[in-house]
Amino acid sequence: MSNNRLSLEALKSHLFETLEGVKNLSDEEASPCEKIGIDQAKQIVDIAGKIIDVYKVQVDAMQVLNRMDNVAPPERIAEDLGIVASGTLEIGEK
């Protein structure tokens, strides 16, 4: 999996797919490929929670670094910490 697919947007997409899969358990017309078991859904949610924890640590680090003197601009810090993919933000872009 390439790094450009490792994002909060991708995580949200996977979680919504998981939700749909659980909902499809009670849909008799849904194919087995469209269904996901409760245990597997719980595992996905648990892993997603760990990924979110990593992002929280990165954001905390970014906030600390942003308060320091003579550090890189926030965009560069976000890229260096892996919060955004390298080259996706232009300096000064909001």
Side-chain angles (χ1 to χ4, degrees), residues 18-76:
T18 300
L19 177 62
E20 286 297 316
V22 171
K23 286 174 56 179
N24 287 337
L25 283 174
S26 60
D27 184 353
E28 295 176 7
E29 295 181 17
S31 74
C33 293
E34 297 173 312
K35 298 179 180 184
I36 186 168
I38 300 296
D39 288 337
Q40 187 177 9
K42 286 180 181 180
Q43 291 173 343
I44 291 169
V45 169
D46 184 50
I47 292 168
K50 303 298 182 203
I51 293 169
I52 291 167
D53 289 344
V54 168
Y55 275 104
K56 286 179 182 178
V57 168
Q58 289 175 323
V59 169
D60 289 345
M62 189 172 152
Q63 289 173 338
V64 168
L65 289 172
N66 199 32
R67 285 187 288 238
M68 297 173 70
D69 290 334
N70 300 320
V71 296
E75 296 86 354
R76 172 71 187 271

Side-chain angles (χ1 to χ4, degrees), residues 62 73-76 78-79 84-94:
M62 189 172 152
E75 296 86 354
R76 172 71 187 271
E79 286 180 357
V84 297
S86 181
T88 59
L89 290 177
E90 295 294 325
I91 300 300
E93 180 180 323
K94 298 280 182 199

